[in-house]
Amino acid sequence: MTQKIYTAEDIPLVTDTIAWIRQHPELYAGPPPYRRRLAARLVHDLVCFGLNNVSAEAFDTWWLVTAQMDWLVIDGIYRAEYWRTVRAAPEIGLDACRPEVVMTALSHTLFTVANGSVEFVVGNEIGHDGLRTKVKSLAAPDFRGRAVGFLIEE
């Protein structure tokens, strides 16, 4: 039996992370359905990052994950690149990546709430009345954490 020797030509160069994840979602999110799995994964990962007081709520087909601490602010700087690039997450496990980019790739709508404002990462509308009401309360100045809402159409 001969052993295959791999070269640099055997490794695909990924130039568009979001497109790559959309083409190979099973590598990052497991088998469908994704909604519930990604909400659970985000809660799990936030707990592994050392956050307490993390919650997940379903609003029909929408999910909202909330933490009382802003996990995307590191050393006082908001890390918006986590929504677009694969980043290692050794706190979670060997070869693990942070979940934010997977959520970006698979969501039809994805938004985050922090510091009194709502930022849309994907899409531009929250299509559920109850969720809109909840988000409005989270956008109040006294909320110091971060929330992520998303819709994945399956």
Side-chain angles (χ1 to χ4, degrees):
M1 179 196 281
T2 60
Q3 185 177 6
K4 167 101 170 116
I5 298 175
Y6 290 94
T7 66
E9 289 78 32
D10 295 313
I11 301 171
L13 177 62
V14 176
T15 57
D16 185 343
T17 303
I18 302 299
W20 175 262
I21 293 171
R22 285 179 182 150
Q23 291 169 1
H24 306 281
E26 69 284 352
L27 297 176
Y28 299 89
Y34 300 120
R35 274 189 290 256
R36 191 168 287 142
R37 183 173 290 110
L38 284 177
R41 177 179 171 190
L42 182 56
V43 169
H44 169 269
D45 291 359
L46 294 177
V47 170
C48 288
F49 294 151
L51 277 71
N52 297 318
N53 225 352
V54 180
S55 67
E57 297 176 74
F59 294 83
D60 295 327
T61 56
W62 290 80
W63 279 89
L64 181 69
V65 176
T66 307
Q68 298 305 311
M69 184 175 150
D70 189 346
W71 70 89
L72 292 179
V73 171
I74 300 168
D75 297 328
I77 301 169
Y78 170 53
R79 303 295 180 181
E81 70 267 15
Y82 287 154
W83 299 113
R84 300 278 176 214
T85 57
V86 174
R87 298 286 184 187
E91 305 91 340
I92 300 166
L94 184 64
D95 297 328
C97 74
R98 294 186 59 104
E100 293 88 359
V101 69
V102 177
M103 296 176 79
T104 301
L106 300 181
S107 294
H108 289 81
T109 303
L110 172 68
F111 64 89
T112 185
V113 182
N115 299 316
S117 66
V118 178
E119 172 192 356
F120 282 90
V121 179
V122 178
N124 60 7
E125 184 179 351
I126 301 170
H128 188 280
D129 291 338
L131 180 57
R132 274 195 297 275
T133 300
K134 177 76 175 198
V135 167
K136 187 175 180 180
S137 72
L138 292 172
D142 60 333
F143 176 62
R144 299 283 180 228
R146 180 168 295 274
V148 172
F150 65 95
L151 170 66
I152 297 174
E153 295 177 358
E154 300 182 81

